[in-house]
Amino acid sequence: MSRGFVKESDQEELPMVPPRADLPAGMVNYVTEVGYGALLAERHQLLHERDSLSISGENEKRITVNFINAKLDLLNDRISSAKIVDLSKQPKDKVRFGAEVFFTVDSDSKIQNYQIVGVDEANIVNKKIAFTSPIAKIFMDKKVGETVKLKLEKTEKQFTIVSVKY
């Protein structure tokens, strides 16, 4: 049947699904084993949520299922493209993907730390930064004792690597 013969009120718009964390085109989707497990747990949760909906209105239920399915499509793309990095095989003396980097900033002696993880795992509150972030990029392949600089808009920060842990 032609869409011209369908009532406007019966036409549904595609659900607006928030995008996942940015992974630039052509970049490998590196994840830790923990991050991969979190992606699988998220998929399990979405499937459970979709399969146990208790919405009585057919239209509202269909819209909710479409929204969850759209989220699942994005998630399944991430899962299928994920490349798990075995942290036990990373060099212990260098900063690579999965490293927890301990560092000082400028002349401040306070030691800070972040773990370099996949884009879906990144969470600044949990001290996890994406391997695509500027700070992670300047740390890559550096060793304990090395100093790196990050140019910001109006200033420059100097980071000294104190230790690396996997």
Side-chain angles (χ1 to χ4, degrees), residues 6 10 49 73 115 120 122 163:
V6 178
D10 288 345
E49 185 180 328
D73 286 345
Q115 183 183 14
D120 289 296
S163 67

Side-chain angles (χ1 to χ4, degrees), residues 100-105 107-114 127 160-164:
E100 185 174 3
V101 184
F102 294 82
F103 58 90
T104 58
V105 181
S107 60
D108 186 356
S109 63
K110 180 183 175 209
I111 296 175
Q112 299 180 45
N113 65 295
Y114 289 110
K127 295 187 169 268
T160 302
I161 300 171
V162 174
S163 67
V164 177

Side-chain angles (χ1 to χ4, degrees), residues 132-146:
T132 57
S133 69
I135 193 167
K137 287 178 180 179
I138 65 167
F139 282 146
M140 286 296 178
D141 291 321
K142 301 299 186 252
K143 294 183 177 185
V144 172
E146 286 192 66

